[in-house]
Amino acid sequence: MVEKVITLENVSLIDFLGPDNQNIRQLAAAFPGSKIISRGNEIKIQGQTPVIQRINDILSSLIEHYHQFGQVTDKTVSQFIGSSDEDLEDARMAAAPDVILFGAKGGIIKARTANQQRLVDAVLKNDLVFALGPAGTGKTYISVALAVRALKNKEVKKIIISRPVVEAGESLGFLPGDMKEKVDPYLRPIYDALEDMLPPEKFKFYLENKTIEIAPLAYMRGRTLNHAFVLLDEAQNTTPSQLKMFLTRMGPNAKVMVNGDQSQVDLPTKQKSGLGEALDILRDVKGIGFVEMTAEDVVRHRLVKEIVYAYDKYDVDQKRAQAERPVRPARYYQPGQPRPAGDELPTEDLPVNNEQI
């Protein structure tokens, strides 16, 4: 038997639970194989995992209904008990239109900054969107949430998420395990986001039947991606040819997102990033959305925002210092022509004849 605890916040218990907890009693009666216990502002659910998930969905819908209407009645409870999972989702979305998705644990996933909301709006309006910005601004998380929502709403038939596998100081060939085990660490942030948004059983099912594909960028070559929500993450680590290859995979009824942070390129020093080139080439193409995130959109620990600010300031100072550095003009002299006074070569620049030492 599994146990889950739901904490009621900013809720009047009498209006939500009903007189003598009648709403919770009614819900418990609909699931006789489980236990629902209300103590203070906590509701404890005990039972088998699928039943707990169903009760959790109903309670989450009731909470959203309460925040919209200020009360939960026995008729509301009966209506939600008899609703399908899709109907519950629709009711919750209607009660909270700014919500992108309700997570696997009932949590609300929505835009938390103005630029995150611009990203959500851009995806609704465009079939191809570039999301740019520093670490911690929610690019990946919001993108994955939009992909899961599109799948749940049957707007697409599958989700395809990819990242370029760029080695950072250690060759993949020296890592233990088969190719999947070597590559999975690069894709771990995608798995983490999906696990927040989908129940474990459904996530596993989607992976097994290829409804959700998570793969390195190299696996995209030669494919046409139809009826899919396609996300390329960490696009700053693609080469120009790789990014062009990815963008030209776009098929009918596809939504494509390209996320990247141009300040964190892990490519070899002499290798040009495909993201910067793509932005220059595609900036004026109609139907493509571009959303720029900034340090103000960082939603991680407060220090992440300060770190981003510090690095940005350092980059600006370095460029300014380089621009202000005096450059010695080049002068050309005929062979044997004496140099003007004050224009002699510094001693350290003179050639050394080892035979004279």
Side-chain angles (χ1 to χ4, degrees), residues 175-191:
L175 296 175
D178 57 21
M179 181 53 67
K180 182 179 184 302
E181 291 171 330
K182 294 174 188 288
V183 167
D184 272 357
Y186 292 87
L187 305 172
R188 189 67 248 174
I190 305 297
Y191 285 100

Side-chain angles (χ1 to χ4, degrees), residues 164 217 232 234-240 242-243 267 272-275:
L217 180 59
L232 175 62
E234 301 290 349
Q236 74 276 3
N237 289 327
T238 61
T239 64
Q242 285 176 329
L243 188 50
L267 293 168
K272 185 178 181 181
S273 170
L275 180 60

Side-chain angles (χ1 to χ4, degrees), residues 16-64:
F16 182 80
L17 302 176
D20 197 25
N21 288 355
Q22 69 176 17
N23 293 338
I24 295 301
R25 293 175 186 273
Q26 184 180 355
L27 184 58
F31 298 92
S34 63
K35 290 184 179 180
I36 306 177
I37 304 168
S38 174
R39 290 180 180 173
N41 68 334
E42 289 188 346
I43 299 175
K44 184 183 296 184
I45 313 169
Q46 296 176 340
Q48 300 302 316
T49 301
V51 177
I52 286 184
Q53 184 61 50
R54 173 67 178 169
I55 295 172
N56 179 75
D57 290 344
I58 293 173
L59 282 171
S60 296
S61 298
L62 289 172
I63 292 171
E64 292 301 326

Side-chain angles (χ1 to χ4, degrees), residues 72-290:
V72 174
T73 67
D74 57 344
K75 291 183 180 180
T76 307
V77 178
S78 297
Q79 178 185 351
F80 284 0
I81 289 174
S83 299
S84 65
D85 290 342
E86 289 77 11
D87 291 338
L88 285 175
E89 185 75 13
D90 290 343
R92 293 161 75 188
M93 293 303 294
D98 60 334
V99 172
I100 300 173
L101 192 70
F102 290 92
K105 299 178 181 179
I108 293 175
I109 299 172
K110 64 180 181 179
R112 295 172 58 183
T113 70
N115 281 330
Q116 286 186 359
Q117 186 59 52
R118 289 190 187 99
L119 179 57
V120 174
D121 295 339
V123 173
L124 294 176
K125 295 176 183 177
N126 303 280
D127 288 336
L128 173 59
V129 174
F130 286 80
L132 313 166
T137 51
K139 301 186 302 295
T140 300
Y141 201 78
I142 293 293
S143 301
V144 173
L146 291 169
V148 173
R149 182 175 73 174
L151 182 64
K152 285 190 171 185
N153 292 344
K154 297 181 172 59
E155 297 168 10
V156 296
K157 295 180 180 179
K158 61 169 57 180
I159 296 172
I160 301 171
I161 304 177
S162 183
R163 273 188 168 192
V165 175
V166 177
E167 300 170 2
E170 185 174 13
S171 173
L172 284 175
F174 290 96
L175 296 175
D178 57 21
M179 181 53 67
K180 182 179 184 302
E181 291 171 330
K182 294 174 188 288
V183 167
D184 272 357
Y186 292 87
L187 305 172
R188 189 67 248 174
I190 305 297
Y191 285 100
D192 290 342
L194 286 167
E195 287 168 358
D196 277 354
M197 301 170 194
L198 292 168
E201 300 83 3
K202 185 167 289 188
F203 182 33
K204 182 180 178 182
F205 173 75
Y206 282 155
L207 288 176
E208 289 175 348
N209 70 1
K210 302 295 184 181
T211 299
I212 295 179
E213 291 185 50
I214 306 172
L217 180 59
Y219 285 45
M220 299 297 107
R221 188 173 297 278
R223 301 182 62 180
T224 300
L225 308 176
N226 301 327
H227 306 284
F229 194 110
V230 189
L231 168 63
L232 175 62
D233 206 32
E234 301 290 349
Q236 74 276 3
N237 289 327
T238 61
T239 64
S241 61
Q242 285 176 329
L243 188 50
K244 180 182 177 183
M245 176 274 293
F246 172 81
L247 294 174
T248 54
R249 301 306 94 200
M250 190 175 179
N253 300 314
K255 283 276 189 183
V256 177
M257 291 191 68
V258 178
N259 295 349
D261 176 5
Q262 291 180 282
S263 69
Q264 291 191 357
V265 178
D266 297 320
L267 293 168
T269 304
K270 295 182 180 180
Q271 178 64 63
K272 185 178 181 181
S273 170
L275 180 60
E277 180 179 274
L279 296 177
D280 293 337
I281 295 172
L282 304 175
R283 182 67 73 174
D284 297 326
V285 177
K286 293 183 179 180
I288 302 179
F290 299 89

